[in-house]
Amino acid sequence: MKLFSILILLTISTPLLAQSPVESQMYAKMDQAAELMEQGKYEEANEVYLYVLKHMTALPSDLAFYFGKNSFHLDKYKQSINWLNKYIQLKGTQGRFYDEAVKYLQLSEEEYLKIAQQNTAELKSDLSGEDYDCGGLEKMICPVCRGQGVVIKQGPFDLIYKTCPYSAGEPYLTCEEYNLFMKGQLEPKDSN
């Protein structure tokens, strides 16, 4: 009977013994970070998650979910998308946080898309906005041929040299042409 009790005790405690003290400490820190996140202390939780990421050799899949969710609350949408996708890849639809992971993944993707669209609109506005100040110069080095008058491309056997279609073989563009080029409105002079 004593032997049977010892075997049951060993069977129950073996998984606990397999976890090193460092791993146990990291799991405790991960739980601490999850509590901080639930309290809305996202920056503090982020610091703890980063510590756990740095010190654990094998990362648990739940950490991917927690870090992804916390990243959303810190407006780090791309990072959130990456970590939540990793969680879903690892656990699939059977993961205990699957529904919440999908919810935060959709929210992160929506926010990331808004930022990308805003950045694109700002870039278009910048390009179509004011003219570039040529600094009093009448001519600017052609950005296509870099002042060489020719465009050099690698052919199947050796280099191919073509006259620059925008500067027509000259090393420079006028300030007006340069501004049109920067706005994407300059038509090539030479169609070769």
Side-chain angles (χ1 to χ4, degrees):
M1 189 67 170
K2 229 180 195 184
L3 181 60
F4 181 71
S5 297
I6 292 173
L7 285 174
I8 289 177
L9 183 60
L10 284 175
T11 305
I12 293 171
S13 63
T14 301
L16 298 174
L17 295 174
Q19 199 175 43
S20 74
V22 173
E23 285 178 325
S24 296
Q25 181 185 11
M26 291 303 111
Y27 276 100
K29 285 209 170 278
M30 194 169 82
D31 291 342
Q32 173 195 5
E35 287 177 31
L36 288 169
M37 182 176 60
E38 292 305 316
Q39 295 170 5
K41 299 177 181 176
Y42 305 116
E43 286 293 340
E44 292 175 45
N46 190 58
E47 293 299 318
V48 178
Y49 285 134
L50 290 173
Y51 180 85
V52 172
L53 284 168
K54 184 177 178 181
H55 291 90
M56 281 190 95
T57 52
L59 298 177
S61 55
D62 288 356
L63 182 59
F65 166 73
Y66 288 132
F67 195 63
K69 178 180 175 182
N70 197 63
S71 296
F72 169 80
H73 291 292
L74 293 173
D75 301 335
K76 297 179 179 182
Y77 303 117
K78 184 66 174 169
Q79 179 172 290
S80 177
I81 291 167
N82 291 337
W83 283 94
L84 292 170
N85 273 326
K86 180 53 75 181
Y87 173 79
I88 293 169
Q89 287 173 349
L90 292 171
K91 298 303 270 183
T93 59
Q94 302 305 312
R96 73 178 177 163
F97 299 115
Y98 174 76
D99 291 332
E100 198 173 358
V102 169
K103 173 187 155 193
Y104 277 99
L105 179 60
Q106 288 173 342
L107 291 170
S108 293
E109 288 173 342
E110 288 169 6
E111 291 301 319
Y112 185 75
L113 186 59
K114 284 180 192 174
I115 291 170
Q117 289 171 341
Q118 181 181 355
N119 288 345
T120 301
E122 287 173 8
L123 180 61
K124 284 181 181 178
S125 174
D126 289 346
L127 289 176
S128 63
E130 296 180 23
D131 286 344
Y132 177 78
D133 180 14
C134 295
L137 300 174
E138 292 179 20
K139 295 183 178 183
M140 300 293 293
I141 292 177
C142 177
V144 176
C145 66
R146 296 185 184 102
Q148 296 180 1
V150 293
V151 177
I152 305 168
K153 292 185 180 184
Q154 179 65 48
F157 299 108
D158 44 353
L159 298 175
I160 299 172
Y161 294 82
K162 287 189 172 188
T163 302
C164 178
Y166 291 96
S167 68
E170 297 295 321
Y172 304 103
L173 295 175
T174 66
C175 187
E176 182 182 332
E177 289 172 330
Y178 186 81
N179 275 299
L180 289 172
F181 177 81
M182 294 305 286
K183 293 177 184 178
Q185 299 171 350
L186 181 65
E187 295 295 324
K189 297 175 186 175
D190 186 14
S191 59
N192 287 342

